[in-house]
Amino acid sequence: MKVNVIGLGYIGLPTSLMLASHGVEVIGTDYNKELVATLKSGKTTFEEKGLDELFMEAVNKGIKFTNEYIENDLYIIAVPTPYEKDNKKIDPNYIIKAVESVKKVAHKGAILVIESTVSPGTIDKYVRPLVKDSELHLVHAPERIIPGNMVYELKHNSRTIGADDVKVGEIVKEMYSSFCEGNIVVTDIRTAEMTKVVENTYRDINIAFANELAKICRSDNMDVYEIIKIANMHPRVNILTPGPGVGGHCISVDPWFLVGDYPGLANIILAARKINDSMPEFVLERIHDIMKEKGMTDLSRVGLYGLTYKENVDDVRESPTLQLLENMERHLATPLKVYDPWVKKTIVKNQYFEFDKFLNDVDFVVIMVGHSELRNGMEKIKDKVILDTRNICNLPGTYKL
Ligand SMILES: NC(=O)c1ccc[n+]([C@@H]2O[C@H](COP(=O)([O-])OP(=O)(O)OC[C@H]3O[C@@H](n4cnc5c(N)ncnc54)[C@H](O)[C@@H]3O)[C@@H](O)[C@H]2O)c1
């Protein structure tokens, strides 16, 4: 079987490498010339546990990278699916463009697998009309892997395949079975679309509940972590951990699709989104309160540790730290210092690339992300005022959310 993967980002690249390293003939296509040149030069384009080893294996097995779309039997499309900020509906334009490009080269009977996350009905509304006359088979196989553990999860997670025709679904199942050891369920396209969005929405709502508890407990001087710890001893309670907000390309995006498409029906979902989006502002209020308590007045002596949306990855999309800085910028230019060991390029003002230099220039450290670097070197910040939004620091005097 020959597979052409379109879009070699966080999802498309590991997927194509996984297929190739398990003996599938793979050509990876991305319209970003620089990205393809990097891959062709033998380097990966982002940091991820196990990715470099997988890359070497795939290259040895003959994977190719190109800017071209190839005539082929099977395509996997893994392009971005953001939402439109004003109406919260999916922006289908990346998918439409990718499908149009594939359509120009695909032969009759070829299978087109949309891996990108889409809102329910997107394929019927935007993709089906495009391929109506071309006799391509449509499949939706949304991806579930988590950054930081992608290679493991690609192999072990279960998967969903939505297809119009069960036989086509079974062919796609066989392709994923080349590397996937989890259960693979074949269903229809709309069910697959909805299932994926529901999974991320479930996570968002549960995180929002923990965050709301943090706010309630803060308002009345109770220890939210102790309360959650005890409540979770109940056999049917499993409350998540509060944090500084929700970022990334999935959980903070996908619930908006349901809000946009089902106004008036998606009520808990909307409330959860609002709570999670309010957390960076809540952290900022905590910073001001603690500064007041400590008699501190100089915001430029406050440093945010962590720019990514979660620990031990380099993905900064929609991250709580970026949200917090954007909120501040609306009022005044932010003098806060920022440091993240995983982010090697300058993306915000006052950004540091060395932990020690950062610590020299701040008196107050706000832990926004629990990278291993900090977890393993917590004593480095022992003389600072600390606000720990991740509940990872046991140093005396540490402030919590
Ligand atoms: N990142 C995650 O953790 C994650 C997890 C599960 C699902 N998803 C979903 O997977 C999809 C892809 O997300 P991602 O994080 O990999 O995005 P990404 O931005 O990292 O990568 C997308 C890639 O597609 C390329 N591209 C866009 N349009 C193209 C076109 N017409 N032709 C060729 N290349 C094109 C871009 O250049 C980019 O390299 C999204 O729908 C996302 O919601 C992401």
Side-chain angles (χ1 to χ4, degrees):
M1 188 181 288
K2 247 169 71 184
V3 177
N4 186 193
V5 178
I6 314 294
L8 299 172
Y10 286 100
I11 294 300
L13 181 63
T15 303
S16 52
L17 300 179
M18 209 54 167
L19 284 165
S21 64
H22 286 79
V24 178
E25 200 179 322
V26 180
I27 300 180
T29 299
D30 200 295
Y31 62 16
N32 180 332
K33 293 208 161 63
E34 206 184 316
L35 183 143
V36 169
T38 306
L39 294 172
K40 277 182 159 175
S41 76
K43 290 193 213 108
T44 50
T45 41
F46 62 96
E47 286 194 42
E48 174 65 36
K49 190 171 62 192
L51 191 69
D52 288 347
E53 294 79 359
L54 188 65
F55 182 77
M56 289 313 297
E57 226 181 303
V59 169
N60 288 337
K61 291 267 177 77
I63 191 170
K64 300 273 181 297
F65 302 108
T66 173
N67 298 118
E68 310 292 324
Y69 305 87
I70 310 296
E71 185 181 349
N72 206 28
D73 313 323
L74 202 152
Y75 298 85
I76 296 178
I77 295 190
V79 297
T81 43
Y83 67 90
E84 289 173 358
K85 296 274 189 240
D86 49 345
N87 63 18
K88 314 298 187 198
K89 289 174 188 272
I90 192 168
D91 167 1
N93 285 310
Y94 290 97
I95 299 232
I96 291 174
K97 201 164 167 210
V99 171
E100 278 171 345
S101 303
V102 165
K103 210 177 96 176
K104 285 186 195 141
V105 295
H107 54 66
K108 279 186 185 168
I111 301 173
L112 195 50
V113 181
I114 310 286
E115 261 209 20
S116 302
T117 305
V118 295
S119 56
T122 296
I123 291 183
D124 278 348
K125 193 165 171 193
Y126 298 106
V127 182
R128 206 177 286 289
L130 294 177
V131 302
K132 198 165 63 209
D133 309 321
S134 53
E135 291 181 41
L136 294 177
H137 296 289
L138 285 181
V139 173
H140 179 44
E143 185 49 75
R144 288 179 166 146
I145 55 176
I146 188 167
N149 202 23
M150 286 178 155
V151 177
Y152 177 89
E153 289 206 353
L154 269 172
K155 199 163 184 168
H156 295 98
N157 283 1
S158 55
R159 307 190 68 102
T160 318
I161 292 173
D164 294 332
D165 178 340
V166 177
K167 280 196 220 107
V168 173
E170 291 298 329
I171 294 171
V172 174
K173 179 174 174 175
E174 198 189 318
M175 183 254 312
Y176 283 113
S177 299
S178 65
F179 64 82
C180 173
E181 294 174 9
N183 279 332
I184 303 181
V185 177
V186 178
T187 182
D188 61 273
I189 287 180
R190 221 175 150 90
T191 304
E193 289 176 321
M194 184 63 172
T195 307
K196 167 69 196 178
V197 175
V198 164
E199 289 159 9
N200 283 344
T201 303
Y202 172 85
R203 298 277 300 154
D204 200 44
I205 291 172
N206 281 281
I207 296 167
F209 179 58
N211 285 337
E212 186 158 276
L213 289 181
K215 286 181 165 183
I216 292 172
C217 290
R218 173 57 48 207
S219 78
D220 214 8
N221 206 19
M222 292 180 271
D223 181 345
V224 70
Y225 299 106
E226 181 71 1
I227 288 159
I228 291 176
K229 191 175 88 191
I230 296 169
N232 281 350
M233 288 173 181
H234 183 294
R236 284 168 296 283
V237 174
N238 184 17
I239 304 170
L240 301 181
T241 311
V246 174
H249 194 46
C250 293
I251 298 180
S252 68
V253 173
D254 302 347
W256 284 125
F257 296 160
L258 295 178
V259 173
D261 284 346
Y262 303 98
L265 292 176
N267 297 321
I268 297 180
I269 301 170
L270 174 58
R273 273 287 72 236
K274 285 186 176 165
I275 292 163
N276 289 336
D277 274 357
S278 74
M279 290 311 287
E281 191 66 37
F282 181 66
V283 173
L284 199 53
E285 284 165 22
R286 289 289 292 139
I287 294 172
H288 286 300
D289 289 348
I290 295 164
M291 286 180 74
K292 210 162 151 195
E293 191 181 319
K294 289 280 174 192
M296 297 172 74
T297 50
D298 186 358
L299 262 179
S300 73
R301 299 293 298 173
V302 178
L304 304 178
Y305 179 93
L307 251 174
T308 61
Y309 83 91
K310 69 187 285 274
E311 61 193 42
N312 302 330
V313 299
D314 61 5
D315 190 347
V316 298
R317 290 178 294 183
E318 322 273 337
S319 85
T321 303
L322 287 179
Q323 292 178 42
L324 186 153
L325 294 171
E326 275 161 25
N327 287 351
M328 275 192 96
E329 287 283 348
R330 264 184 247 130
H331 308 296
L332 74 169
T334 167
L336 296 184
K337 308 278 196 302
V338 187
Y339 162 74
D340 190 309
W342 284 77
V343 181
K344 310 279 195 266
K345 281 190 206 147
T346 302
I347 55 170
V348 292
K349 278 186 216 147
N350 309 320
Q351 188 180 338
Y352 287 68
F353 298 94
E354 284 173 43
F355 197 12
D356 289 339
K357 274 195 181 156
F358 168 74
L359 290 178
N360 261 338
D361 288 357
V362 301
D363 304 316
F364 183 170
V365 174
V366 184
I367 303 174
M368 296 294 285
V369 186
H371 291 308
S372 298
E373 178 206 54
L374 182 63
R375 287 175 187 265
N376 299 331
M378 204 58 90
E379 75 288 349
K380 278 196 151 189
I381 62 171
K382 69 177 187 309
D383 297 326
K384 309 289 179 191
V385 174
I386 302 166
L387 168 59
D388 174 14
T389 69
R390 297 283 182 177
N391 197 29
I392 59 168
C393 177
N394 293 323
L395 292 169
T398 297
Y399 291 87
K400 302 281 173 171
L401 266 185

